[in-house]
Each structure stands twice: as structure tokens, then as C-alpha cells.
């Protein structure tokens, strides 16, 4: 202020403009991706913008991964803050979800063929575990059927199945078979040979014998007679061979035989005609004589008659 005489005086005051307007930050929308082939992640490029009433706003990322990064399977939250020159701020977030839709790969060993262990109805089998791989870590392996390695596998075919499961629940399965063949011996035992004798008036003998027995390691065995006569039959004079076969559940077989020998110890009978008294022919010292035939009987077969003394029929 200056008066007419040139005297003056000055004063001042300040006007402070405060910026209380928050900046505005804008994130991209949430996004869902799938893992790249044979990878456990997926690359993603995004942008974040910010505006303010005053120049000088800056954007900082406070969580997540930068644009263009390889985002891992799962959910990644990306958070940003915009700060203006007055210290006002605003935040925004978005998620990048990467789904793993790739199945793991499991590989089983080849089928196994084995024979039974000696004297045991099965075979102890040790096998290698299947191999499993996946694009993401954390694949697990489980057996869902069959028997564990080192078990006694029964005769026949056992199917061993396995499943591989990754951390996202994707699965793959494989199987192999263990085929065990019964090579244990099957033994059939027949009774001893039998000697019998014909009865009176018959050329046979009723013979009863013990049934053969079979020893088998696996399953059961059936016994069938394939030659001869059953026990309790009337066996003819001579030798009859009785043969049996035992067959077990798995097709193994064994045979045995024994004989039934029927002897005839009964003598035949012979009947001669009665004594004859004949006069000599006239003028001679002899006579032609015809006498009745000699007869015979036997319990077995045909009897041969031989004259061992005297003169035959119709002789002098």
C-alpha cells in the first residue's frame, strides 16, 4: 500500500490448493486359460490403466505376475495400486486362472506268464511299478485291481490295473495280466493186481477192489475208468486190465492200471458108459463093439476128450 507522500507497506497471504481426488485405476477382467501343451503354465499379456485429475499418477503392481509372464496352473491374483502426486491412491485386482486339462500318462509293464512254484498252487510274482508322468508336478499312482508285487498269484489269469491321478484330478489307467499255469504233478494210484478164482458152475468171479486215489496240488481231480470193469463186476476167466485216468481242474492228467486175473481151478468131469459084456463074433476071437459116447462137463469153455487106454468105438 503506498500513500500520496510515497510511503508504502506490504503484506501477503497464501492460498493452498489441496488435491483430494483419488486417481482411477482400471484392471482387465478375470481370465481363464488352459496350460500349454506339455507345460504346467500359460503365458498371458494384459494391460492396466490409470487416470487422475492432476498429472503425475503412477501405477505399481503389489501382487501377482507381470504382463507376459508364464502363469502357473491354479489361480494367480494380480493387484495394482495407482498413486497420484498428492498421495491419493486407488487399487484394482484381477485373477488369471490356469486350468490343467491334460491327462497324465501311465505305462504298465508287459503281461507276465509264469508256472506254479513247486508244491504250491500259485506263483510268487515280483513286478515293476508302472511309470507315470504329467505336465504338472504331483501325479500319484494307485493300484485299483489285482495283487501287489511279491504276492502269491493263483493259477489262472489275474488282471492288475493302476490309475495315475494328477493334482487337477485328471486320470489315466493301464493294466497287465499275470497268467499262472499249473505245472505241479498229478499222481493217481491204483490198487495192487488182483487174483481171483472161478466159482462152481461159472467161468467168472465177482471181484471188488478199492477205488484209485489221486493226489493233486491245485484244485480237485476227477477219476474216470477208461478200460476194464467196475468194482463188483463179474470178471471173466483170464486177465482183465483196468485202467483209470485222473484229470485235475487245470487239465493235468495221469493214468494207472492194474489187472484182475481169474484162474480156473475146477476140474472138468467126464462120464463113461457102463461096462459091456459082448460075445465074440462067430468063428473069431474078437467082436465089433459100439459103445455110448463119453461125455464131459466143465465150468469154463470147451473140454477136449482124449482116450488114453483101450480101443476106440467101433473097433475090435
Amino acid at each position: 500500500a503506498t500513500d500520496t507522500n510515497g510511503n508504502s507497506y506490504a503484506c501477503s497471504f497464501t492460498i493452498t490448493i489441496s488435491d483430494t481426488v483419488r486417481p482411477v485405476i482400471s484392471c482387465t477382467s478375470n481370465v481363464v486359460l488352459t496350460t500349454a501343451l506339455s507345460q504346467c503354465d500359460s503365458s498371458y499379456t494384459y494391460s492396466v490403466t490409470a487416470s487422475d485429475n492432476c498429472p503425475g499418477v503412477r501405477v505399481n503392481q503389489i501382487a501377482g505376475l507381470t504382463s507376459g509372464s508364464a502363469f502357473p496352473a491354479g489361480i494367480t491374483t494380480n493387484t495394482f495400486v495407482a498413486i497420484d502426486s498428492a498421495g491419493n491412491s486407488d487399487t484394482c485386482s484381477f485373477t488369471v486362472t490356469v486350468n490343467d486339462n491334460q491327462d497324465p500318462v501311465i505305462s504298465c509293464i508287459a503281461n507276465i506268464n509264469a508256472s506254479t512254484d513247486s508244491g504250491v498252487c500259485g506263483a510268487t510274482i515280483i513286478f515293476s511299478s508302472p511309470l507315470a508322468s504329467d505336465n504338472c508336478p504331483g501325479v500319484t499312482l494307485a493300484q485299483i485291481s489285482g495283487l501287489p508285487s511279491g504276492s502269491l498269484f493263483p493259477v489262472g489269469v489275474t488282471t492288475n490295473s493302476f490309475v495315475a491321478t494328477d493334482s487337477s484330478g485328471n486320470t489315466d489307467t493301464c493294466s497287465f495280466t499275470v497268467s499262472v499255469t499249473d505245472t505241479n504233478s498229478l499222481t493217481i494210484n491204483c490198487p495192487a493186481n488182483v487174483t481171483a478164482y472161478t466159482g462152481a458152475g461159472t467161468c467168472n468171479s465177482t471181484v471188488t477192489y478199492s477205488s484209485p486215489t489221486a493226489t493233486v496240488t491245485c484244485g480237485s481231480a476227477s477219476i474216470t475208468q477208461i478200460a476194464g470193469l467196475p468194482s463188483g463186476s463179474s470178471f471173466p476167466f483170464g486177465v482183465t486190465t483196468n485202467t483209470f485216468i485222473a484229470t485235475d481242474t487245470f487239465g493235468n492228467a495221469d493214468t494207472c492200471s492194474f489187472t484182475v486175473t481169474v484162474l480156473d481151478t475146477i476140474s472138468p468131469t467126464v462120464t463113461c458108459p457102463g461096462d459091456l459084456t459082448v460075445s465074440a463074433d462067430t468063428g473069431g476071437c474078437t467082436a465089433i463093439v459100439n459103445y455110448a459116447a463119453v461125455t464131459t462137463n466143465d465150468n469154463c469153455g470147451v473140454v477136449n476128450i482124449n482116450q488114453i487106454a483101450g480101443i476106440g468105438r467101433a473097433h475090435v
Side-chain angles (χ1 to χ4, degrees):
T2 304
D3 61 14
T4 57
N5 297 314
N7 300 306
S8 63
Y9 184 78
C11 72
S12 63
F13 67 95
T14 61
I15 296 176
T16 300
I17 306 298
S18 296
D19 177 14
T20 60
V21 179
R22 298 173 61 184
V24 177
I25 190 171
S26 178
C27 283
T28 188
S29 300
N30 296 335
V31 64
V32 177
L33 308 172
T34 57
T35 53
L37 183 63
S38 300
Q39 301 296 318
C40 196
D41 52 38
S42 182
S43 296
Y44 181 61
T45 300
Y46 59 84
S47 62
V48 176
T49 60
S51 61
D52 192 48
N53 58 319
C54 292
V57 64
R58 67 184 186 277
V59 177
N60 296 324
Q61 186 170 9
I62 56 176
L65 297 174
T66 58
S67 176
S69 297
F71 284 79
I75 300 175
T76 301
T77 299
N78 300 280
T79 303
F80 297 83
V81 60
I83 303 174
D84 65 13
S85 56
N88 300 304
S89 64
D90 189 22
T91 60
C92 71
S93 297
F94 71 96
T95 59
V96 175
T97 301
V98 179
N99 292 325
D100 174 20
N101 297 327
Q102 299 180 54
D103 291 335
V105 177
I106 186 173
S107 177
C108 278
I109 62 172
N111 295 335
I112 297 175
N113 296 312
S115 299
T116 50
D117 298 339
S118 178
V120 180
C121 193
T124 300
I125 303 296
I126 298 175
F127 57 83
S128 301
S129 296
L131 300 177
S133 61
D134 191 48
N135 59 311
C136 289
V139 63
T140 59
L141 187 66
Q143 186 168 5
I144 54 177
S145 71
L147 296 172
S149 176
S151 298
L152 181 68
F153 281 75
V155 174
V157 179
T158 301
T159 300
N160 297 286
S161 298
F162 297 81
V163 60
T165 305
D166 67 15
S167 55
S168 298
N170 303 305
T171 62
D172 189 24
T173 59
C174 71
S175 298
F176 69 93
T177 60
V178 175
S179 300
V180 179
T181 303
D182 178 20
T183 56
N184 288 294
S185 60
L186 166 66
T187 303
I188 184 172
N189 297 302
C190 278
N193 295 335
V194 177
T195 300
Y197 301 91
T198 58
T202 178
C203 197
N204 300 316
S205 180
T206 299
V207 176
T208 301
Y209 54 82
S210 301
S211 298
T213 58
T215 302
V216 64
T217 302
C218 292
S220 59
S222 59
I223 299 175
T224 304
Q225 186 168 11
I226 57 176
L229 296 173
S231 176
S233 297
S234 180
F235 281 77
F237 169 75
V239 179
T240 301
T241 300
N242 300 283
T243 303
F244 295 81
I245 183 170
T247 305
D248 69 14
T249 309
F250 306 102
N252 300 306
D254 190 26
T255 59
C256 71
S257 298
F258 70 98
T259 60
V260 173
T261 302
V262 178
L263 302 177
D264 177 18
T265 59
I266 299 175
S267 299
T269 60
V270 60
T271 303
C272 289
D275 295 338
L276 298 177
T277 300
V278 180
S279 298
D281 293 338
T282 302
C285 196
T286 62
I288 295 175
V289 178
N290 286 304
Y291 53 81
V294 176
T295 61
T296 186
N297 185 47
D298 191 48
N299 61 315
C300 283
V302 177
V303 178
N304 295 319
I305 301 176
N306 297 313
Q307 187 170 358
I308 58 174
I311 299 173
R313 296 175 61 196
H315 285 73
V316 294

